[in-house]
Amino acid sequence: MSTSNRWLWLAGGVLLAWLIYLLQPILTPFLLGILIAYLGDPLADWLESKGLGRTWAVTLVFAVFTLLMLLALLVLLPLLGRQLVKLAEYVPLGLDWLQNQGLPWVQAQFGLPEGFWQLDQLKKVLAGHLGDASGIAKNLLLVVGNSGMALALALTNLVLVPVVSFYLLRDWDIVMARLRTLLPRRNEGVIVGLLGECHEVIGAFLRGQLLVMLALGTVYALGLMLLGLDLGLLIGMLAGLASIVPYMGFAVGIVAALIAAVFQFGADPLMLTGVAAVFGVGQMLEGMVLTPLLVGDRIGLHPVAVIFAIMAGGQLFGFVGILLALPVAAVIMVLLRHVHDLYKLSDLYGESAAAPPTQQDT
């Protein structure tokens, strides 16, 4: 590739990043639509192979997705609402314990001056804002309602996501075929091979890791709710979402669950052991069953790289950046793997020019 072509590709990449930055307020429904279409395409292809037309296959897949989402919302939202009310009740109690027992112990251990900890004002603020779930909802509606443009944009996005995802899913194979015709003929094989590896990595994450997160969230939530923990569903879902990074869901969930168990049941060894057992079972399921079965070793993203990608994407492009972070990181990882292989074969590395050691040398 000539120098001018390299600069042209670099300029195109910079221009694309700049456009994403400028258009990020309206990109969310389109990115969510692409995500839904990408996840649903294998199922639509399978239904097509069974004799259904593409439109009917897509309609069936879309109907199943919609039904599952509605059922989840109808079941989970009331439960989460009640648990948010419980959480609002526990916050002042937690601050009381922290101020009257936890922090005085730390103060005595480290010789901190009297009055070093002052949580009264924080307690009043939190208690005022978390007083009841209806207050939270009213404040949220007030903030959204103060901006007619923001409300209109939110409603537009809500309508656009299913529309975009339906049409993209219906025409997914056609779009992919047309994009392939745009590839340079001389490099088509190499580019298709790289894109195939990127597809394998991204597909493994999106389909595999998301299923792992859902399964772990379900296991944690059901286990904690069977123990009678009031915040079991909330903590289980939080731990499932945090499982996007290996071991983070376990760490976040078990700490939050142990704290909630202490406030609800006191230092009951049986309940604390039960909480530890729930997360121990979840961790064993993740390591021995869920991750090998659903994900395998195809992702190859280090946990630190996952954290950095999500934080960098959010910092640069907000919610749009969070949606793009891991797919982009997966693509970069595939490209870096090939760059590494080329470097090992190059004269700069020198491995190919080095003579292998003989028996006498050893």
Side-chain angles (χ1 to χ4, degrees), residues 34 37-38 41 45 54 168 171-183 188 192 195 199:
I34 293 172
Y38 182 78
D41 179 63
D45 289 341
R54 182 69 182 185
L168 280 177
D171 300 330
W172 186 264
D173 294 336
I174 298 174
V175 172
M176 293 298 106
R178 288 181 178 174
L179 287 177
R180 182 165 181 170
T181 62
L182 297 177
L183 298 177
E188 180 187 8
V192 169
L195 291 177
H199 166 70

Side-chain angles (χ1 to χ4, degrees), residues 225-249:
M225 292 171 70
L226 288 174
L227 289 176
L229 195 66
D230 288 339
L231 301 179
L233 177 62
L234 190 61
I235 293 174
M237 292 182 63
L238 176 65
L241 290 174
S243 297
I244 191 172
V245 178
Y247 305 110
M248 181 175 286

Side-chain angles (χ1 to χ4, degrees), residues 118-131:
Q118 294 183 1
L119 297 180
D120 291 334
Q121 189 171 0
L122 177 61
K123 179 182 173 182
K124 290 179 181 178
V125 171
L126 288 174
H129 286 283
L130 298 174

Side-chain angles (χ1 to χ4, degrees), residues 35-70:
L35 174 63
I36 294 172
Y38 182 78
L39 293 174
D41 179 63
L43 183 55
D45 289 341
W46 180 80
L47 290 173
E48 269 193 294
S49 70
K50 299 301 180 182
L52 279 180
R54 182 69 182 185
T55 301
W56 281 108
V58 169
T59 302
L60 183 58
V61 171
F62 199 80
V64 170
F65 279 5
T66 304
L67 182 61
L68 290 176
M69 290 182 63
L70 287 176

Side-chain angles (χ1 to χ4, degrees), residues 99-327:
Q99 188 172 24
N100 298 325
Q101 299 182 41
L103 295 182
W105 181 85
V106 174
Q107 184 175 333
Q109 295 296 318
F110 292 94
L112 298 175
E114 191 69 26
F116 183 83
W117 310 104
Q118 294 183 1
L119 297 180
D120 291 334
Q121 189 171 0
L122 177 61
K123 179 182 173 182
K124 290 179 181 178
V125 171
L126 288 174
H129 286 283
L130 298 174
D132 61 330
S134 61
I136 299 174
K138 289 177 183 177
N139 290 334
L140 181 61
L141 290 174
L142 183 62
V143 170
V144 175
N146 285 337
S147 174
M149 189 64 184
L151 180 60
L153 184 61
L155 292 175
T156 302
N157 290 345
L158 189 63
V159 173
L160 273 179
V161 170
V163 173
V164 170
S165 59
F166 178 84
Y167 283 110
L168 280 177
L169 183 56
R170 189 192 66 177
D171 300 330
W172 186 264
D173 294 336
I174 298 174
V175 172
M176 293 298 106
R178 288 181 178 174
L179 287 177
R180 182 165 181 170
T181 62
L182 297 177
L183 298 177
R185 299 295 90 193
R186 185 173 56 183
N187 301 319
E188 180 187 8
V190 175
I191 296 174
V192 169
L194 288 173
L195 291 177
E197 291 186 40
C198 295
H199 166 70
E200 184 178 2
V201 173
I202 295 172
F205 177 80
L206 290 179
R207 298 188 182 95
Q209 190 64 29
L210 290 179
L211 286 174
V212 170
M213 291 163 57
L214 177 62
L216 285 177
T218 303
V219 169
Y220 293 147
L222 288 177
L224 295 176
M225 292 171 70
L226 288 174
L227 289 176
L229 195 66
D230 288 339
L231 301 179
L233 177 62
L234 190 61
I235 293 174
M237 292 182 63
L238 176 65
L241 290 174
S243 297
I244 191 172
V245 178
Y247 305 110
M248 181 175 286
F250 171 81
V252 170
I254 194 169
V255 170
L258 287 174
I259 292 173
V262 168
F263 280 113
Q264 184 176 344
F265 303 107
D268 184 349
L270 185 60
M271 292 305 303
L272 298 181
T273 303
V275 168
V278 168
F279 283 91
V281 170
Q283 194 63 26
M284 287 190 294
L285 283 175
E286 179 186 12
M288 294 188 295
V289 179
L290 296 175
T291 299
L293 180 64
L294 299 175
V295 180
D297 57 356
R298 293 169 292 175
I299 296 180
L301 284 176
H302 193 276
V304 175
V306 173
I307 297 172
F308 177 80
I310 294 173
M311 294 183 66
Q315 177 66 30
L316 292 174
F317 301 109
F319 183 69
V320 171
I322 293 174
L323 290 176
L324 291 173
L326 289 171

